[in-house]
Amino acid sequence: LNDLLFLYDSPSGFSGNPALGSSGLEISGGYLYSIRELPVSSVYINLPVWLIQLGLGYNNLLHPAYQEHLATLNFSGGYAGFRAGMNFHRLFTQVKPYYQSASYLIDLGFVWQHDHWRSGVCLRNILQGKIIDITLPSQYLMETEISIAENCRLALALEKDSGWDFTFRTGASYEIFKQLNFLASYQAWPDRMGAGLVFRLDRISAIFSLRTHNYLKITYFISLSYSFKRNE
C-alpha cells in the first residue's frame, strides 16, 4: 500500500522499517502491473529470540530474462515506547545471459510510540551498495501514524531517494468490524492509489491489496499470515 508501513502490522513489517514486524509467518505473491512474466513472491518469519526480535525474509522477482532475489536478516529490540532495528540484505540480480551480480545492503530503522501516535524513521542502503559498477540509491523514509478513533488510523509519510525529489504518501486504516479492515492510500510524485482488505480469523490473516500506476496496469498482491501470538 504505497509503502505505508504503520497501517497494517505484519511479520514482513521489517522489510520496510527494520524496527517493525509482528511475530509470525507470512507468504505473499502477485504480478507486477498484471504482467504474467513479472511474478513476485516472498516469505517472512519473525519471532522473539531471548531479548530481541529475529526476522528472516526472502523475496523473488522471476522474469525469463531478468531475476532478482533479496534475502534479509533482521534484528530488532526496544524498551518502553522506543524500538530500533537493523536489516542485512543480500541482493542477487541476473540478466540472462549477460551478467549476474550480488550486492550487500544495510538498513537502519527507529520507531517511537506514545499514546495514540507513533513515528518512525528508516535509512535504507546506508553503505550505498552497488550492482556491478552502479551505486544503488539510498532511501530516507519518515512516517507518522495517528489514531483518530478506536477503529480508525491515519498515516503520513515522506520518502527521499538520493538523486530524486521527495515523495509524499498518506493513507488510512478503518476497522469495519473485528474480522475485517479496509486500507486506502495515496502517493504523490508519482501519483498512485492503493487499497486493500484484511480478513482475520483468530491468528490467521488474509490480505488482498492493489496499487495503480500512471501508465501500466494495476499491481495485485495476495498475502497470508499466521501470528505466533493470539490477538496480536
Side-chain angles (χ1 to χ4, degrees), residues 12-230:
S12 64
F14 65 84
S15 64
N17 184 324
L20 295 175
S22 58
S23 296
L25 174 68
E26 180 180 334
I27 57 173
S28 64
Y31 293 96
L32 293 179
Y33 317 117
S34 300
I35 300 174
R36 296 195 63 84
E37 290 79 17
L38 291 177
V40 291
S41 61
S42 63
V43 58
Y44 292 94
I45 186 170
N46 199 343
L47 66 164
V49 178
W50 197 39
L51 297 178
I52 65 170
Q53 198 82 6
L54 174 66
L56 297 171
Y58 195 71
N59 193 298
N60 287 307
L61 169 61
L62 300 176
H63 185 273
Y66 175 79
Q67 296 189 4
E68 189 174 292
H69 308 272
L70 180 68
T72 302
L73 172 64
N74 167 262
F75 298 96
S76 67
Y79 178 76
F82 175 78
R83 289 192 62 83
M86 178 179 290
N87 285 342
F88 299 90
H89 302 287
R90 183 184 187 270
L91 174 62
F92 177 81
T93 57
Q94 183 178 27
V95 178
K96 299 179 180 180
Y98 302 106
Y99 81 86
Q100 60 184 32
S101 176
S103 181
Y104 297 89
L105 318 174
I106 294 179
D107 306 334
L108 296 176
F110 309 92
V111 172
W112 299 265
Q113 184 166 355
H114 180 72
D115 291 337
H116 300 297
W117 66 269
R118 60 176 170 170
S119 294
V121 175
C122 180
L123 312 175
R124 299 172 181 164
N125 188 25
I126 60 174
L127 298 184
Q128 296 188 316
K130 296 182 178 181
I131 293 181
I132 309 180
D133 293 325
I134 302 173
T135 300
L136 299 174
S138 298
Q139 297 177 317
Y140 311 94
L141 175 67
M142 299 171 287
E143 183 174 351
T144 294
E145 176 199 61
I146 302 173
S147 177
I148 61 173
E150 187 176 351
N151 61 344
C152 186
R153 296 180 292 167
L154 297 180
L156 299 170
L158 282 175
E159 182 179 309
K160 177 71 169 67
D161 288 19
S162 54
W164 296 87
D165 293 330
F166 278 98
T167 295
F168 169 78
R169 303 185 180 104
T170 185
S173 170
Y174 181 76
E175 186 181 89
I176 301 172
F177 48 87
K178 187 175 181 181
Q179 289 77 28
L180 180 62
N181 271 49
F182 174 71
L183 311 176
S185 65
Y186 169 75
Q187 172 183 297
W189 320 308
D191 293 339
R192 292 182 182 180
M193 302 288 290
L197 288 173
V198 181
F199 302 91
R200 292 190 181 91
L201 182 60
D202 196 19
R203 300 189 186 191
I204 299 174
S205 297
I207 307 98
F208 175 78
S209 60
L210 59 86
R211 185 169 70 168
T212 64
H213 191 277
N214 284 348
Y215 307 106
L216 300 175
K217 292 183 179 180
I218 292 174
T219 293
Y220 298 94
F221 285 102
I222 296 177
S223 300
L224 294 173
S225 66
Y226 177 81
S227 175
F228 295 151
K229 292 183 179 180
R230 188 176 299 274

